[in-house]
Amino acid sequence: TYPPYAQTTKAKKARAESNKARRMLMKEGVVAKGDGKDVHHKKPLSKGGKTTRSNLKAVPKSQNRTYDRNSDHSMK
């Protein structure tokens, strides 16, 4: 089960867009399950970006994530 915030409509839409983006690049063979890559939106969805091929690229997850999700959320 998801935590309460993840069950909100806004979070569900964001998750659906992220999943859609990953599926798009998986079909092209750019990313694969367990490869350690994230699908990055060049213009973030939160800033009006869309899930189109021209707005997506594969990057190492260490480059795409600003902090460890299990940490105290401080930037290093």
Side-chain angles (χ1 to χ4, degrees):
T1 64
Y2 289 108
Y5 168 75
Q7 296 176 29
T8 64
T9 302
K10 183 178 177 180
K12 286 179 182 180
K13 286 181 181 180
R15 192 166 53 250
E17 286 298 311
S18 293
N19 291 341
K20 177 182 173 184
R22 183 147 189 99
R23 280 193 309 272
M24 287 173 69
L25 294 192
M26 284 179 82
K27 276 186 177 181
E28 292 181 18
V30 177
V31 296
K33 188 173 183 176
D35 65 2
K37 294 181 183 175
D38 277 352
V39 175
H40 171 73
H41 285 81
K42 296 174 190 174
K43 181 175 183 180
L45 297 173
S46 62
K47 304 262 192 229
K50 303 291 181 195
T51 302
T52 58
R53 181 59 184 102
S54 62
N55 193 40
L56 302 174
K57 70 177 181 176
V59 296
K61 69 180 176 181
S62 61
Q63 181 182 346
N64 195 45
R65 300 181 190 191
T66 55
Y67 55 83
D68 181 2
R69 300 295 179 210
N70 294 322
S71 74
D72 64 358
H73 302 287
S74 61
M75 298 295 287
K76 294 180 173 136

